[in-house]
Structure formats: C-alpha cells, structure tokens
Amino acid sequence: FVALAKQITDFCRDNTIKVLLVEDNPMDTEITRIQLESLKEAGGRNYKLDVATNSEDARRIISERRHNLVILDWQLGEGEHTGMDLARQLHADGVQFPFVILTGREEDYTEAASEDCLGWLNKRTADAKALDAGCIHAVKNWYSRKGISAPNL
C-alpha cells in the first residue's frame, strides 16, 4: 500500500495524472480523451490517458500499477462484468487503487455509492471541468481513506 501511495504521488509530481479508462465504446473513449486534453490546453492539469476496452485487458494493465486513477465504465460490452464487478474483483484480490465509475444511468449511482467507489460521473452530462473535479476528488478521497496526506493536485 505505501509503495502504491508513493507511486501515485510520484506520478502526480509533474502535474500529470495518469489515468486508465476502462471503456468499450469508442465514441465515449474519444469524448473522454478530448475532455481531458482540453484541460491542459486551457492551462489546467495534464492527463495521460490509456485505454482498456475489456475487463481482461484492464486487469493486466492495472496489475502494472502505473496509473494514478482508474475510470471504469459501468456497463462494459456484451457478456462483460460491470465496472463495479471489476473493481470488486480487483479489491478482493488485494489490488488497491482510486477509481471513478462512469455511467449514463442515474440508477447506477446508488450502487456505486454503497461500494468503495470514490466518485461517479454521468457520461452523458459531465463536461471537462466535472471530469477533472471527479478525478481529483477520487484521488484525494482515496488518500484520505488511507489516512495519509494527498499529493498537491
């Protein structure tokens, strides 16, 4: 755990937040990419975005522990588990990371809130500023729950 916290702090040091987006819809992936890029262009934070399109790829990439935050689509592709299912499986395996759920359905918020989800965003209405605020909130909240000081974001 301490190593992960140090890794997240080191990654954030250059004002770059490394995000893994687990999203199977190419249009939603592109929208998220554009929103995050627009923040840097406006003089805000720099996000580096990597993408996994399914649970299997996400598990592999998350195990490499090179991201500060994971944004999970609630509903992955046909036959896939939900983003919450993936988060539960990873946490059960002892993998700790801050994550945000991205969903287009309001009814998903209640379930996300009852889990270890540190934030959720409505993919149909969240703009770049809301996405940024949700990401920063999740990282700071994760540190707070662990009882350590968050990096200066």
Side-chain angles (χ1 to χ4, degrees):
F1 160 74
V2 173
L4 179 59
K6 182 183 180 320
Q7 176 184 0
I8 291 173
T9 303
D10 289 346
F11 282 144
C12 293
R13 195 167 285 143
D14 64 355
N15 206 29
T16 298
I17 299 173
K18 295 179 174 112
V19 175
L20 174 63
L21 172 65
V22 183
E23 172 64 72
D24 63 321
N25 183 313
M27 176 82 74
D28 289 338
T29 298
E30 189 58 23
I31 289 168
T32 303
R33 183 182 312 281
I34 289 168
Q35 288 177 329
L36 293 176
E37 287 174 357
S38 74
L39 293 165
K40 183 179 181 184
E41 292 168 5
R45 264 178 282 283
N46 181 31
Y47 285 88
K48 179 184 181 304
L49 184 66
D50 291 323
V51 178
T53 58
N54 58 57
S55 296
E56 183 180 322
D57 287 346
R59 288 178 72 87
R60 179 184 49 77
I61 294 169
I62 289 169
S63 72
E64 296 169 4
R65 299 182 186 270
R66 57 188 168 119
H67 295 90
N68 309 110
L69 174 72
V70 179
I71 300 174
L72 297 164
D73 180 25
W74 181 273
Q75 185 58 56
L76 297 172
E78 187 76 28
E80 284 273 339
H81 298 287
T82 67
M84 284 301 306
D85 292 336
L86 176 60
R88 284 184 200 112
Q89 291 168 356
L90 289 164
H91 284 165
D93 293 343
V95 178
Q96 305 244 341
F97 60 93
F99 72 96
V100 173
I101 290 290
L102 190 61
T103 182
R105 301 172 354 141
E106 289 185 31
E107 58 268 24
D108 297 336
Y109 299 155
T110 303
E111 184 175 347
S114 69
E115 297 292 332
D116 195 23
C117 179
L118 299 173
W120 55 91
L121 295 165
N122 186 321
K123 67 168 71 177
R124 305 292 172 235
T125 60
D127 61 8
K129 287 184 180 183
L131 182 59
D132 181 50
C135 291
I136 297 308
H137 173 77
V139 171
K140 287 183 175 183
N141 196 0
W142 186 82
Y143 272 88
S144 175
R145 288 184 182 189
K146 303 300 178 194
I148 56 176
S149 298
N152 186 19
L153 301 173

